Amino acid sequence: MRRRVAGVGLLSALTIGCARPPAAEVRVDEAELCERFDARIIDEALTPGALARALVGDRHDVDPLELGWVVASDDNEDFLLRLGAGASSSPLPLTTPPGTEYELVAGAFAGESWLLLDGPGVLELWRLDETGTPQQGEPLADFPSGPADEFARALLFIGRQPYLFATRRASEGTVLEFWLAEIDEELNVGEPWRFGFGSTCTLDPQVCEFFYLARVRVLDVAEADGRSPGHVLLGVREDVSEDVGEFNPRSLYAATVSFSLDDTTQEPIAVLRTNFPLLAWEFSADYDARIAPASLAADDTGFYILAGLEVVDLDTPTGDPIDLQIVRYSAANGLSVRFGAMPAEFSPHLLERDSATALGWFDDDAWTIVPMRETSFDLDRASLFELAPAESRAIYSGGRGHYLMRIEGTEAARVGVSCGADEDDGAVEPRAGVERLDARLSRERVELPTISHASAPR
């Protein structure tokens, strides 16, 4: 398989661009701001008796059918299930080996979703449309060429065009390599473009030669909006070889790589590679760590990243949980700014709707959602929603304003998030207080309305 080399760049401390200029210009969002975020429960018990693993909704609009898709696992198998009041299809078994990862994402067109199956000996693309009948592509031998387990893969949209993205899970030296291949209407994957980025070592040059990337993970991919560049969030761990002796540091950092299309050739080009010093951690060789949770939410003028550090394989505690950092990257000036921090115990998360982004968290069985704009919280427009008592909750994006809310580890609900009315248009008056961020927000707790569509097997 012939590789098309798209260019090699040198990574600076903050930002690096490819040799060619970006094809997409920064747009100013002239639409009305999302004054307030509303939330509702669509499916209170999403997959009873089974573990919901991934979710995607069909449409942004509030739809009485609330159509969507979910991948779930029970004691016997993994399966794909059509969601919604009008869904009547039976669960579709996914006959995949243990360890298969499922990436279920919203496409660039309303009603179109995509499923990537990536596991030992399996690599498949599926397109899911409103008819409820999946279109399954031919199994891929490998992408890119080489042992399948060497690469982490993801679906990426540049404008409306889908691509298959890959990066090496580890690399000798400090060069990050990426591959992009176009996916056509028949779900065939074309020849890949290769992109390479080297990094500058800030240590002694004699130490730099011992640097290697011990682990590279795809943490998140920006949701398709049909017009923007594609953004990928990566977690990178750098180690120094033990050959150096006692000096054997480890570091973890978050990075993004963005792709657009050349104006003339319409071929993909790397327009941005960014490291985030505000999302970097040094840790001991006595234990291991990874960036988790981590998410990326893009709008018309940049994106937000929320990321924290999870310590693994640790025999002794390290103290209080590490706060999750929130960073805003502005495409207007190319700078990243620390936006704030939230304790991990509150399960903070990013929410997207109509080119607007919000920060959400859970506290005392209440769900708080605060709109964000550039580098400020809109605290006056915070919304609080009453939830049933639970020991723990976590939120995972399902695309198009749909979210998978995992409750106490295994139970799950599907929730919908939309732009709500301004306070002057019938929103609730402040009444009760709840503590979060660095202030106490006074807002009434609103009971979360339920729209139940029991369509999952028991």
Side-chain angles (χ1 to χ4, degrees):
M1 188 177 292
R2 182 171 56 88
R3 293 179 178 177
R4 290 181 278 195
V5 180
V8 178
L10 180 66
L11 178 62
S12 68
L14 183 65
T15 305
I16 181 68
C18 187
R20 287 181 280 184
E25 297 180 354
V26 175
R27 293 175 301 278
V28 177
D29 185 5
E30 297 181 352
E32 293 185 6
L33 300 181
C34 194
E35 301 290 355
R36 189 182 301 276
F37 280 71
D38 283 344
R40 68 195 188 287
I41 295 178
I42 301 172
D43 292 295
E44 193 167 17
L46 184 58
T47 53
L51 176 66
R53 301 180 60 175
L55 168 74
V56 68
D58 269 24
R59 294 182 176 276
H60 286 90
D61 300 333
V62 177
D63 185 342
L65 299 179
E66 300 292 357
L67 294 172
W69 299 87
V70 65
V71 171
S73 304
D74 59 18
D75 294 334
N76 301 315
E77 62 183 3
D78 301 336
F79 59 87
L80 175 68
L81 182 70
R82 185 70 164 143
L83 296 174
S88 58
S89 59
S90 300
L92 179 63
L94 298 171
T95 54
T96 54
T100 298
E101 298 178 359
Y102 303 100
E103 183 183 359
L104 192 56
V105 300
F109 298 92
E112 178 190 75
S113 302
W114 292 75
L115 174 63
L116 174 64
L117 295 78
D118 189 358
V122 59
L123 182 60
E124 295 183 10
L125 282 168
W126 294 21
R127 181 165 51 206
L128 315 172
D129 61 24
E130 292 176 296
T131 66
T133 303
Q135 178 187 355
Q136 186 175 351
E138 293 294 328
L140 301 172
D142 54 15
F143 174 79
S145 180
D149 59 357
E150 286 188 2
F151 301 96
R153 286 167 281 255
L155 283 165
L156 176 71
F157 286 84
I158 304 176
R160 294 187 172 185
Q161 179 60 47
Y163 289 85
L164 189 56
F165 169 88
T167 185
R168 292 192 185 277
R169 297 184 186 272
S171 176
E172 294 292 338
T174 57
V175 176
L176 278 171
E177 291 182 298
F178 311 112
W179 288 263
L180 270 185
E182 186 174 339
I183 303 170
D184 67 18
E185 288 292 326
E186 303 302 321
L187 305 189
N188 298 313
V189 176
E191 295 183 5
W193 284 265
R194 176 189 169 274
F195 303 82
F197 289 90
S199 63
T200 56
C201 179
T202 58
L203 300 174
D204 186 294
Q206 293 182 343
V207 176
C208 290
E209 62 182 283
F210 296 107
F211 250 108
Y212 64 98
L213 306 181
R215 184 173 63 227
V216 181
R217 297 171 56 217
V218 177
L219 301 176
D220 200 6
V221 178
E223 184 177 339
D225 62 9
R227 64 184 187 278
S228 299
H231 306 291
V232 182
L233 176 63
L234 301 169
V236 182
R237 172 180 148 181
E238 287 188 350
D239 286 8
V240 170
S241 170
E242 293 181 359
D243 294 339
V244 177
E246 295 182 358
F247 185 59
N248 183 24
R250 296 180 178 183
S251 62
L252 277 169
Y253 60 87
T256 55
V257 59
S258 301
F259 299 94
S260 190
L261 299 178
D262 183 88
D263 287 330
T264 303
T265 65
Q266 290 300 295
E267 292 184 350
I269 55 175
V271 295
L272 186 67
R273 161 72 203 282
T274 307
N275 272 5
F276 298 92
L278 301 169
L279 295 174
W281 299 266
E282 293 183 355
F283 62 102
S284 169
D286 296 333
Y287 61 90
D288 200 1
R290 65 174 185 170
I291 300 176
S295 57
L296 180 152
D299 57 29
D300 283 344
T301 59
F303 48 77
Y304 298 92
I305 300 173
L306 183 146
L309 194 66
E310 180 181 85
V311 177
V312 295
D313 299 330
L314 184 64
D315 295 328
T316 57
T318 57
D320 296 332
I322 299 173
D323 288 353
L324 275 71
Q325 303 296 316
I326 310 161
V327 169
R328 168 68 178 177
Y329 173 81
S330 173
N333 56 26
L335 298 178
S336 58
V337 177
R338 182 180 179 274
F339 194 81
M342 284 286 290
E345 62 185 289
F346 293 96
S347 298
H349 44 273
L350 298 176
L351 301 162
E352 282 185 90
R353 191 57 198 256
D354 299 336
S355 296
T357 306
L359 175 68
W361 66 87
F362 300 113
D363 187 13
D364 294 334
D365 297 319
W367 186 14
T368 304
I369 301 176
V370 180
M372 299 189 291
R373 187 67 179 173
E374 288 298 331
T375 55
S376 64
F377 292 101
D378 201 350
L379 299 179
D380 292 335
R381 304 199 184 282
S383 300
L384 275 72
F385 302 95
E386 192 75 37
L387 300 169
E391 291 295 325
S392 64
R393 298 182 185 86
I395 283 282
Y396 303 90
S397 177
R400 300 191 177 101
H402 294 240
Y403 291 85
L404 177 66
M405 180 185 291
R406 200 176 302 287
I407 305 164
E408 296 181 350
T410 55
E411 297 182 17
R414 179 168 55 137
V415 298
V417 175
S418 59
C419 283
D422 191 5
E423 193 169 15
D424 296 334
D425 297 328
V428 188
E429 293 295 329
R431 187 182 63 185
V434 64
E435 180 184 12
R436 207 53 280 140
L437 297 176
D438 297 322
R440 289 186 175 269
L441 307 178
S442 292
R443 275 298 177 270
E444 182 177 11
R445 291 188 175 186
V446 182
E447 184 178 356
L448 198 61
T450 299
I451 307 173
S452 182
H453 299 317
S455 57
R458 293 185 179 271

